[in-house]
Amino acid sequence: MNSLIRYSGRCLRTGAAVFLPRQAGGRMLSTSARLLCAASDLQKDLGGMVKKDKVVVFMKGTPAQPMCGFSNAVVQILRMHGVDDFAAYNVLEDQELREGVKAFSNWPTIPQVYFNGEFVGGCDILLQMHQNGDLVEEFQKLGIRSALLNAENESK
Amino acid sequence: MEITGDHIRDKLIKELEAVHVDVEDTSSNRCAASFKVLVVSAQFEGKPLLQRHRMVNMCLAEELKTIHAFEQKTLTPEQWEKQKSQ
């Protein structure tokens, strides 16, 4: 597994013909292609990264192929709400990102979810918000209409 | 120092005045130390989810440096009673 990740990392760095995995949802952004000179640059980058898109997820693996049950759960929840357009950063590709985002968010684990540049939480929080209906409301504030609302209307 | 469920439970009770703590060692599901906790404390009253989780994170800051995976559920005593009756 590790060698596979290192191999794909090498491919991206050498700029070889790269197979960009088709996502079911979420845009994969390559972090190994960025030039990270120092940890402080990463913190600045992160500031921009979380604001650039409405929904940002730092996860293990990709939306098409999550490498961890919790990261997968986050992707599945977003998918259920019909949220396809979100930025996903694979921390397994980039050890500095993996540690840096924990420091940036002051949060010890991955996955990490941001809405409109604001830290929401990890898998537990997202799941609870989904279960108690708060998530639909949060998406509404972002101008995203949850697919679950459509499902509700259809069943009426 | 090996992190045990008991150690985590004791810390949560002490620092968050938890009235109920369930600690499940889920390490067998993964290759490294993992825990799932349920914490019931009046200190969570009136606090949003994220703040509650941050309180738990701060309480276990040292342990979380080495714990690989961590799940948590935070309830107030009222929410806990309600959940039990369901």
Side-chain angles (χ1 to χ4, degrees):
Chain A
M1 169 107 42
N2 283 332
S3 57
L4 177 64
I5 292 168
R6 273 201 294 274
Y7 174 74
S8 24
R10 259 206 300 280
C11 277
L12 290 165
R13 272 193 288 275
T14 58
V18 169
F19 167 63
L20 288 169
R22 292 290 296 132
Q23 327 302 329
R27 281 167 286 113
M28 224 21 253
L29 293 160
S30 167
T31 52
S32 55
R34 288 182 301 129
L35 294 169
L36 294 171
C37 315
S40 57
D41 284 346
L42 174 59
Q43 296 298 306
K44 269 189 272 164
D45 280 348
L46 282 167
M49 280 155 78
V50 302
K51 295 202 179 84
K52 217 163 42 153
D53 298 276
K54 276 185 186 173
V55 180
V56 178
V57 180
F58 295 91
M59 60 183 290
K60 293 184 179 176
T62 67
Q65 194 171 35
M67 298 291 223
C68 138
F70 302 127
S71 291
N72 184 34
V74 166
V75 169
Q76 293 307 321
I77 291 172
L78 292 177
R79 198 166 283 157
M80 274 176 78
H81 287 261
V83 178
D84 277 327
D85 190 22
F86 62 92
Y89 296 93
N90 182 359
V91 305
L92 295 178
E93 268 189 357
D94 186 339
Q95 192 58 29
E96 263 186 57
L97 175 69
R98 186 173 179 171
E99 296 313 308
V101 74
K102 290 181 191 175
F104 180 78
S105 312
N106 190 18
W107 190 261
T109 49
I110 305 287
Q112 296 189 6
V113 181
Y114 278 82
F115 287 169
N116 257 0
E118 207 178 297
F119 183 62
V120 174
C123 169
D124 290 337
I125 290 182
L126 206 73
L127 183 60
Q128 282 184 60
M129 286 170 72
H130 165 71
Q131 286 169 334
N132 65 19
D134 284 349
L135 196 54
V136 172
E137 224 179 280
E138 284 305 309
F139 283 141
Q140 227 153 18
K141 291 189 203 160
L142 296 173
I144 298 174
R145 185 182 164 78
S146 167
L148 294 181
L149 288 173
N150 300 337
E152 254 178 56
N153 286 339
E154 270 162 31
S155 63
K156 284 190 185 138
Chain B
M1 173 204 63
E2 203 199 303
I3 299 169
T4 62
D6 286 335
H7 169 87
I8 289 178
R9 180 181 299 111
D10 291 342
K11 228 180 169 184
L12 288 168
I13 291 175
K14 196 170 96 177
E15 293 188 24
L16 296 179
E17 293 178 327
V19 298
H20 182 89
V21 176
D22 275 337
V23 180
E24 192 188 324
D25 187 333
T26 54
S27 308
S28 55
N29 299 346
R30 299 168 187 99
C31 1
S34 320
F35 292 94
K36 184 170 172 173
V37 304
L38 164 66
V39 189
V40 182
S41 165
Q43 287 188 9
F44 293 146
E45 206 78 56
K47 297 203 169 74
L49 261 186
L50 183 57
Q51 209 173 339
R52 297 183 188 188
H53 285 223
R54 284 205 188 276
M55 282 167 71
V56 174
N57 288 352
M58 267 188 31
C59 170
L60 299 172
E62 273 307 302
E63 290 76 9
L64 284 167
K65 288 185 189 158
T66 42
I67 289 177
H68 175 78
F70 185 69
E71 287 174 82
Q72 55 166 304
K73 197 149 183 170
T74 48
L75 298 172
T76 60
E78 195 187 321
Q79 287 171 326
W80 172 233
E81 289 305 318
K82 204 163 153 202
Q83 187 177 280
K84 277 197 285 187
S85 62
Q86 276 167 356

